[in-house]
Amino acid sequence: MPEDFPPIDLNAASEADDLRAKLEAAERDLNNHKLQLAEYVNARKRQLQAAEVERKYAYEPLVKDLLSALDNLDRALDAAKKAGDDGPLATGVSATASQFLEVLRRHGVTRIETNTGDIFDPNQHEAVMPQLSKDIKPGHIVLVLSQGFMLHDRVLRPARVIVASA
């Protein structure tokens, strides 16, 4: 046997296979760890987003309850206007309604501007009933019964309207 070739150590081949197996196991563990870390990070982001949405809309039930009080102030103002009353009581009710709207606005509540003649939008309006009209095109608003409101980007209460029919 020539002396140029070293003897083959069968234990070294076995050690190399053991090292390869350990390396593959370590790589699998590392990949599993990376997946678990990514799942944790994504779950944390979802949790923070859910908490933000919860915080943003937390007082929605309270605001819905308060809107009926604002409707009553608006009715009182309409009655005062029809009676020609512009005295201190009507002025006080008007100032209270304005203050009420300003407080709501500061907290993300805005009125859905709805007027007679506007196109009916089922995303923002609730049609209470149809009405024949010669002056207003079908599918347009004949009368606004109560104003609608939004909380940030969500319809809190749609405007209640009567819609012109053909």
Side-chain angles (χ1 to χ4, degrees), residues 69-81 85-101 111:
L70 182 60
D71 290 340
N72 288 332
L73 288 174
D74 286 341
R75 286 186 198 99
L77 285 171
D78 287 343
K81 285 179 188 176
D85 184 4
D86 57 358
L89 181 60
T91 304
V93 170
S94 178
T96 302
S98 296
Q99 183 180 20
F100 204 117
L101 284 170
R111 196 175 264 199

Side-chain angles (χ1 to χ4, degrees), residues 114-122 124-148 158-166:
T114 305
N115 298 300
T116 300
D118 290 351
I119 296 175
F120 174 76
D121 178 359
Q124 296 185 342
H125 306 129
E126 177 186 349
V128 175
M129 62 183 266
Q131 180 176 322
L132 294 173
S133 176
K134 295 179 183 176
D135 301 333
I136 297 176
K137 298 178 197 173
H140 288 67
I141 296 170
V142 175
L143 182 65
V144 179
L145 300 174
S146 65
Q147 291 291 335
R160 297 181 69 228
V161 298
I162 296 175
V163 180
S165 63

